C-alpha cells in the first residue's frame, strides 16, 4: 500500500482563500480539512475497516498522532484514491506543520500545512460570534485615528496580511523568544492566545531584542520617518531581510501588531486614546509642575494621542467576566516584568478598576483615567498642589467601525461617565487616595485660550488668551503665553512665539492677550505631526494661586486631488491624475507621490504638484487606493479613496 502523489484540498469555510501561498495549505484549527492520497498502479485495494495506517502531525517539538487530540476519517474515492478528513484540535499550537503517513513502520512525508487560530470555532479561545469577524480577522485595510480630541483624522493603513510571504514572516515573529518566555515550552505556548499577545507586545518593538521596529520620536537620520509608512508589508519584509526597521511610533507599532494578530487568526482592532496619560510613577496623577516664574519643569506627559491594539480571546487565567477584548500595547513606554511590553489586559478589568489584574492593568487604567494636577514648586522647596482637572485624560477613544470607513467611539467601554456613581465606585476600588475632589470649584484666577482663525500650514494666524480675576481682591500676577512645536507624544520642541506680562487685576477684571504665530518662526521648527501647543499660565506668588490653559492645534494640510481615467475593470489599465497645491510661501523640493515612486522635481510657492500613475486591478470588488505626497518641507500628506473594480 503506497502513495505516489498527494493533493491537499481546503474547504471554503476556513476563510483562508485570500492568502497567497503556493506551497502550503492554510487551515484553521478545530475545523476539518481533507487530503487525497493516490495509490500507485497495482497497489492493494483500500478496504474500510481492514487497511490501516497512521497520520502524524508535527510542529517544532510538538508531535500528534491523529487519533488523540486530533481525529480523522478515511474513505475510498473512485480512480484508486483515498480521501482522509482530518480535524485538528481547537487548542493546537498555530504554525507550520508537517504531515507524515505511517503504515506498519514505513513513514512517508506527505507535505506541510499552516494552522491558524479559528474565530469561527466555538471551542477555540479566540471564538467571536457574528459578522465582526469579517472586519477584525479578514479585513486587510483600515483607518488609524490620530490628531487631537477636537481634530480627529483617520490615517489609511494597508495591513497587508495576504501579501506574498507576509504570513511566513508573521510565523517567524511568533518564533521569536523574548526574555519573559525563556522558561516556557514555546511550541505548546503558540496555541495560547494570551501568550501570543504578550509575546507580540514585546517583539514588535526592538528595545529588548531583535524586534521588528525601532522607536524614535526626534532624530530620524538613518531610517524612514514613521509618518511615511502607509502599510505593514514593506516593514515586515525589511525586518525579515535585515532585522529591526527604523523607525516607528505608536501607530506603526500598533498597525504591525494588528497585521500579525489578524494573519494568525486572532480578532484584532486598532484603538486610539486621545489625551493619553504617561504615568511614569504609577500615581494615577499627571503632575503639571511649574516654578514660581511659570516655567514648566515636570516629567510626566500627556500624549496628544496614543495608539494600541485590542485582541479578542478567552481569559481562563482570570476571574469570570474578563473575556473579550484585551489591550495589548507594543509601543515601548515602561517595562513590565523587566522588559518593554504591555498586556494583554482585559478591557473590562480596566473599566472596573481592577488594577492588580494581569497584565499591566494599572498602567492602562492611568492612560485613560489619570487626573491632571497643577503644582507650583516654591523657591523653598515646597510643592504646592493647586487646581487641575479630572476630564482631560482618556477622551474620544476611537476605532474603525465594522464594515464602514467611519470612526466608532468606544470611550464607554473603558470608563464610566465622569462624576457618575459607577466612576466613584471604581476609584474606591482602585484605592488611590490622591484622586482630585470633584467639587467643581473655580480657581481665583481663570485662563482661557481662544482660536479665532483658520490655521493652515504656511499661513500666519493669531490666537488669544482671556485672563479673568474671579476673586474679591486685587491680584498681582505673572502671565506667560507661548506657542511651541510639539510631537504627538506631548514632548515640547522649540518655542516659536512668546509673550509675558506682569499684571494687576481688580476683582472681576478681564484682560485679553494676543499672540501672532508666524510661519517664518514656526516653519523651521514644526515637526511632520504639524502640531503647535499653545500654553498660557498665570501665577500669583503672594497667594500661591495658579491657573493654566493649553490647546494643541493641528495645522490644516493641503488636499491631494485625484482624477481616475478609464474603466475600472480587472486587467484594464487605469490612470490616476494627482494634484496638490503647495500652501507654503516657499518652494517645495524633492516632491514625490509615493504611488508612483518617482520624483517630480521642484514645485514653486503656491503652485501645483502634478503626477500621473497607472495601475492595473488584478481582482474584482471593493478596493482602496492609497496615495502619499512627500517633499522636503511638506511631508506625509495622505489620501485614500474607495474603488469598485468590475469584472
Amino acid at each position: 500500500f503506497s502513495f505516489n502523489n498527494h493533493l491537499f484540498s481546503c474547504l471554503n469555510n476556513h476563510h483562508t482563500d485570500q492568502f497567497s501561498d503556493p506551497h502550503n495549505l492554510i487551515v484553521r484549527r478545530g475545523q476539518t480539512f481533507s487530503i487525497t492520497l493516490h495509490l500507485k498502479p497495482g497497489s492493494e485495494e483500500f478496504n474500510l475497516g481492514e487497511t490501516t495506517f497512521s497520520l502524524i502531525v508535527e510542529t517544532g517539538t510538538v508531535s500528534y498522532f491523529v487519533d488523540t487530540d486530533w481525529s480523522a476519517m478515511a474513505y475510498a474515492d473512485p480512480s484508486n484514491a483515498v480521501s482522509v478528513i482530518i480535524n485538528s484540535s481547537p487548542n493546537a499550537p498555530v504554525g507550520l506543520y508537517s504531515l507524515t503517513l505511517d503504515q506498519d513502520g514505513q513513514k512517508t512525508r506527505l507535505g506541510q500545512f499552516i494552522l491558524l487560530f479559528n474565530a469561527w470555532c466555538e471551542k477555540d479561545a479566540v471564538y467571536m460570534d457574528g459578522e465582526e469577524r469579517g472586519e477584525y480577522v479578514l479585513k486587510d485595510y483600515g483607518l488609524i485615528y490620530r490628531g487631537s480630541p477636537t481634530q480627529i483624522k483617520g490615517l489609511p493603513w494597508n495591513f497587508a496580511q495576504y501579501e506574498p510571504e507576509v504570513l511566513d514572516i508573521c510565523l517567524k515573529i511568533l518564533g521569536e523568544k523574548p526574555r519573559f518566555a525563556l522558561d516556557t515550552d514555546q511550541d505548546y505556548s503558540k496555541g495560547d492566545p494570551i501568550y501570543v499577545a504578550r509575546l507580540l507586545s514585546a517583539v514588535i518593538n526592538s528595545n529588548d531584542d531583535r524586534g521588528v521596529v525601532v522607536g524614535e520620536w526626534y532624530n530620524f537620520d538613518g531610517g524612514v520617518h514613521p509618518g511615511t509608512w502607509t502599510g505593514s508589508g514593506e516593514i515586515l519584509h525589511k525586518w525579515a531581510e535585515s532585522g529591526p526597521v527604523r523607525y516607528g511610533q505608536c501607530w506603526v507599532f500598533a498597525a504591525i501588531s494588528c497585521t500579525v494578530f489578524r494573519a494568525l487568526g486572532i480578532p484584532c482592532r486598532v484603538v486610539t486614546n486621545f489625551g493619553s496619560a504617561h504615568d511614569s510613577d504609577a500615581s494615577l496623577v499627571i503632575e503639571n509642575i511649574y516654578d514660581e516664574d511659570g516655567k514648566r519643569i515636570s516629567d510626566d506627559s500627556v500624549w496628544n494621542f496614543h495608539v494600541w491594539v485590542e485582541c479578542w480571546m478567552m481569559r481562563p487565567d482570570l476571574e469570570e467576566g474578563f473575556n473579550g477584548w484585551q489591550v495589548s500595547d507594543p509601543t515601548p513606554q515602561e517595562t513590565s516584568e523587566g522588559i518593554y511590553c504591555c498586556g494583554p489586559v482585559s478591557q473590562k478589568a480596566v473599566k472596573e478598576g481592577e488594577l492588580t489584574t494581569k497584565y499591566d492593568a494599572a498602567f492602562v487604567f492611568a492612560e485613560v483615567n489619570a487626573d491632571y494636577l497643577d503644582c507650583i514648586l516654591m523657591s523653598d522647596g515646597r510643592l504646592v498642589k493647586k487646581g487641575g482637572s479630572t476630564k482631560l485624560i482618556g477622551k474620544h477613544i476611537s476605532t474603525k467601525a465594522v464594515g464602514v470607513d467611519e470612526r466608532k467611539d468606544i470611550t464607554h467601554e473603558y470608563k464610566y461617565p465622569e462624576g457618575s456613581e459607577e466612576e466613584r465606585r471604581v476609584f474606591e476600588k482602585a484605592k488611590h487616595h490622591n484622586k482630585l475632589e470633584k467639587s467643581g470649584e473655580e480657581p481665583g484666577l481663570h485662563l482661557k485660550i481662544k482660536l479665532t482663525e483658520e490655521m493652515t500650514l504656511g499661513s500666519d494666524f493669531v490666537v488669544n488668551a482671556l485672563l479673568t480675576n474671579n476673586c474679591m481682591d486685587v491680584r498681582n500676577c505673572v502671565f506667560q503665553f507661548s506657542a511651541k512645536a510639539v510631537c504627538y507624544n506631548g514632548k515640547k520642541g522649540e518655542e516659536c512665539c512668546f509673550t509675558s506680562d506682569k499684571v494687576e487685576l481688580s476683582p472681576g477684571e478681564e484682560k485679553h492677550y494676543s499672540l501672532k504665530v508666524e510661519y517664518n518662526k514656526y516653519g523651521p521648527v514644526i515637526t511632520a505631526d504639524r502640531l503647535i501647543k499653545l500654553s498660557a499660565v498665570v501665577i500669583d506668588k503672594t497667594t500661591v494661586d495658579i491657573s493654566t490653559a493649553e490647546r494643541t492645534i493641528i495645522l490644516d494640510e493641503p488636499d491631494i486631488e485625484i482624477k481616475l481615467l478609464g474603466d475600472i475593470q480587472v486587467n484594464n489599465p487605469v490612470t490616476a491624475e494627482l494634484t496638490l497645491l503647495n500652501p507654503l510661501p516657499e518652494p517645495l523640493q524633492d516632491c514625490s507621490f509615493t504611488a508612483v515612486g518617482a520624483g517630480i522635481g521642484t514645485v514653486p510657492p503656491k503652485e501645483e504638484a502634478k503626477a500621473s500613475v497607472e495601475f492595473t486591478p488584478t481582482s474584482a470588488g471593493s478596493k482602496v487606493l492609497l496615495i502619499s505626497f512627500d517633499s522636503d518641507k511638506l511631508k506625509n500628506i495622505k489620501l485614500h479613496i474607495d474603488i469598485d473594480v468590475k469584472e
Side-chain angles (χ1 to χ4, degrees):
F1 188 69
S2 57
F3 306 86
N4 71 347
N5 188 23
H6 61 275
L7 172 67
F8 290 92
S9 61
C10 179
L11 304 181
N12 291 333
N13 59 0
H14 279 265
H15 306 281
T16 58
D17 53 296
Q18 296 186 72
F19 286 103
S20 54
D21 189 332
H23 305 295
N24 299 302
L25 171 68
I26 302 173
V27 294
R28 300 191 185 276
R29 66 184 190 177
Q31 201 164 331
T32 59
F33 63 95
S34 67
I35 64 171
T36 302
L37 305 170
H38 297 271
L39 282 67
K40 286 182 179 179
S43 297
E44 295 180 15
E45 184 178 352
F46 178 82
N47 294 312
L48 288 174
E50 297 179 10
T51 307
T52 62
F53 60 88
S54 298
L55 291 172
I56 303 170
V57 291
E58 296 176 283
T59 179
T61 61
V62 181
S63 178
Y64 297 102
F65 279 95
V66 186
D67 63 356
T68 53
D69 300 282
W70 298 42
S71 61
M73 178 178 63
Y75 58 92
D77 271 352
S79 304
N80 209 27
V82 178
S83 291
V84 182
I85 305 297
I86 300 174
N87 190 19
S88 59
S89 167
N91 303 310
V94 300
L96 180 64
Y97 279 75
S98 65
L99 179 61
T100 301
L101 181 138
D102 185 346
Q103 185 186 14
D104 299 327
Q106 180 181 350
K107 294 183 179 180
T108 304
R109 183 181 173 87
L110 301 179
Q112 297 183 139
F113 63 92
I114 293 173
L115 191 68
L116 303 178
F117 289 99
N118 193 352
W120 287 263
C121 174
E122 293 186 11
K123 294 182 179 180
D124 196 308
V126 304
Y127 171 72
M128 172 182 274
D129 191 17
E131 60 185 33
E132 290 185 338
R133 293 171 296 205
E135 179 80 35
Y136 299 137
V137 179
L138 302 181
K139 194 77 170 180
D140 60 351
Y141 156 82
L143 294 173
I144 301 173
Y145 291 96
R146 303 188 304 171
S148 70
T150 57
Q151 293 173 280
I152 299 175
K153 186 172 183 179
L155 171 73
W157 193 270
N158 178 17
F159 294 114
Q161 67 262 38
Y162 303 123
E163 288 186 4
E165 300 179 356
V166 166
L167 178 56
D168 292 335
I169 296 171
C170 293
L171 294 176
K172 183 178 180 180
I173 293 172
L174 187 60
E176 295 290 308
K177 196 161 188 176
R179 281 187 290 157
F180 78 81
L182 292 179
D183 296 329
T184 63
D185 188 330
Q186 191 181 28
D187 288 320
Y188 279 101
S189 297
K190 290 178 184 177
D192 180 1
I194 302 169
Y195 168 85
V196 172
R198 186 101 173 126
L199 178 141
L200 292 184
S201 76
V203 302
I204 297 299
N205 72 73
S206 64
N207 281 44
D208 299 294
D209 40 47
R210 187 184 171 276
V212 178
V213 179
V214 178
E216 181 56 58
W217 282 261
Y218 305 106
N219 182 3
F220 306 108
D221 294 342
V224 176
H225 188 286
T228 303
W229 305 114
T230 58
S232 303
E234 183 180 359
I235 297 173
L236 291 170
H237 281 287
K238 284 180 177 291
W239 174 78
E241 294 168 2
S242 55
V245 179
R246 302 173 184 269
Y247 294 103
Q249 292 175 0
C250 68
W251 69 92
V252 179
F253 290 113
I256 296 295
S257 184
C258 184
T259 294
V260 181
F261 274 119
R262 290 187 182 182
L264 297 178
I266 300 176
C268 182
R269 63 184 183 182
V270 179
V271 173
T272 303
N273 177 37
F274 291 94
S276 189
H278 184 172
D279 182 19
S280 58
D281 59 2
S283 65
L284 294 188
V285 175
I286 300 299
E287 293 184 335
N288 200 19
I289 304 175
Y290 298 85
D291 64 16
E292 291 182 346
D293 296 320
K295 181 181 178 181
R296 185 172 175 175
I297 56 177
S298 54
D299 291 329
D300 278 352
S301 66
V302 177
W303 294 36
N304 225 45
F305 65 89
H306 182 52
V307 186
W308 56 69
V309 296
E310 292 176 349
C311 43
W312 181 274
M313 65 187 67
M314 301 283 287
R315 288 302 298 266
D317 59 324
L318 304 179
E319 62 183 73
E320 187 176 353
F322 292 147
N323 297 329
W325 288 119
Q326 312 291 317
V327 176
S328 176
D329 189 353
T331 300
Q333 296 186 81
E334 301 290 336
T335 59
S336 173
E337 298 181 342
I339 63 173
Y340 281 95
C341 65
C342 180
V345 58
S346 167
Q347 181 202 76
K348 295 177 183 177
V350 173
K351 183 174 183 177
E352 294 299 328
E354 298 288 351
L355 303 192
T356 60
T357 304
K358 296 188 298 186
Y359 295 90
D360 311 305
F363 185 79
V364 178
F365 183 87
E367 288 184 300
V368 299
N369 276 300
D371 288 335
Y372 196 75
L373 185 64
D374 289 328
C375 307
I376 305 175
L377 183 62
M378 308 300 293
S379 57
D380 60 7
R382 289 182 298 131
L383 185 66
V384 180
K385 298 182 179 182
K386 303 298 289 186
S389 176
T390 63
K391 300 179 181 180
L392 294 177
I393 306 301
K395 299 171 70 68
H396 303 299
I397 303 175
S398 303
T399 190
K400 178 185 175 299
V402 174
V404 292
D405 287 350
E406 297 177 2
R407 185 181 70 89
K408 179 181 180 181
D409 194 300
I410 57 171
T411 307
H412 63 283
E413 296 182 22
Y414 277 85
K415 54 200 296 187
Y416 289 103
E418 187 71 32
S420 65
E421 292 185 8
E422 292 90 346
E423 190 223 17
R424 288 192 291 270
R425 173 181 58 80
V426 166
F427 274 93
E428 288 177 5
K429 185 186 298 183
K431 296 181 179 179
H432 271 266
H433 305 292
N434 49 4
K435 186 73 178 166
L436 291 179
E437 294 294 331
K438 299 176 177 58
S439 62
E441 179 182 349
E442 292 290 331
L445 298 170
H446 182 71
L447 269 174
K448 185 176 182 179
I449 295 176
K450 294 184 176 182
L451 308 178
T452 58
E453 300 181 14
E454 289 188 5
M455 293 159 290
T456 303
L457 186 63
S459 67
D460 300 340
F461 53 90
V462 175
V463 293
N464 300 289
L466 175 63
L467 171 59
T468 306
N469 180 10
N470 292 323
C471 305
M472 300 301 295
D473 53 358
V474 175
R475 291 297 181 95
N476 291 285
C477 312
V478 175
F479 169 79
Q480 294 186 3
F481 193 14
S482 65
K484 288 187 176 182
V486 294
C487 296
Y488 81 93
N489 64 354
K491 298 297 183 182
K492 293 182 181 179
E494 295 187 42
E495 190 172 80
C496 43
C497 300
F498 176 81
T499 186
S500 64
D501 190 19
K502 291 184 178 180
V503 58
E504 180 180 283
L505 287 173
S506 301
E509 183 179 358
E510 294 182 348
K511 191 168 181 64
H512 295 262
Y513 292 92
S514 295
L515 188 67
K516 187 173 184 180
V517 185
E518 299 174 307
Y519 175 76
N520 62 1
K521 293 182 180 179
Y522 73 75
V525 298
I526 197 167
T527 71
D529 297 327
R530 295 184 287 278
L531 298 175
I532 293 179
K533 174 161 281 189
L534 307 172
S535 300
V537 57
V538 60
I539 293 179
D540 184 338
K541 295 183 182 180
T542 303
T543 62
V544 199
D545 194 4
I546 182 173
S547 180
T548 63
E550 290 187 338
R551 289 285 298 271
T552 299
I553 56 177
I554 305 173
L555 299 182
D556 294 333
E557 64 187 28
D559 294 325
I560 299 174
E561 296 183 4
I562 181 170
K563 183 178 181 181
L564 299 179
L565 306 177
D567 295 330
I568 306 176
Q569 297 178 345
V570 175
N571 297 325
N572 183 57
V574 180
T575 298
E577 292 185 348
L578 310 171
T579 305
L580 179 138
L581 176 66
N582 175 14
L584 306 185
E586 56 182 331
L588 299 177
Q589 306 288 340
D590 304 321
C591 302
S592 66
F593 289 96
T594 59
V596 294
I600 57 173
T602 299
V603 179
K606 306 299 181 180
E607 293 193 15
E608 292 180 337
K610 295 184 177 181
S612 296
V613 56
E614 185 177 277
F615 63 95
T616 302
T618 57
S619 60
S622 178
K623 308 295 178 184
V624 177
L625 179 63
L626 304 178
I627 303 293
S628 179
F629 176 84
D630 206 4
S631 69
D632 61 334
K633 302 180 185 68
L634 192 61
K635 298 181 181 295
N636 309 326
I637 309 299
K638 292 181 170 58
L639 167 76
H640 73 283
I641 62 170
D642 295 324
I643 299 176
D644 186 18
V645 180
K646 304 297 184 182
E647 289 288 358

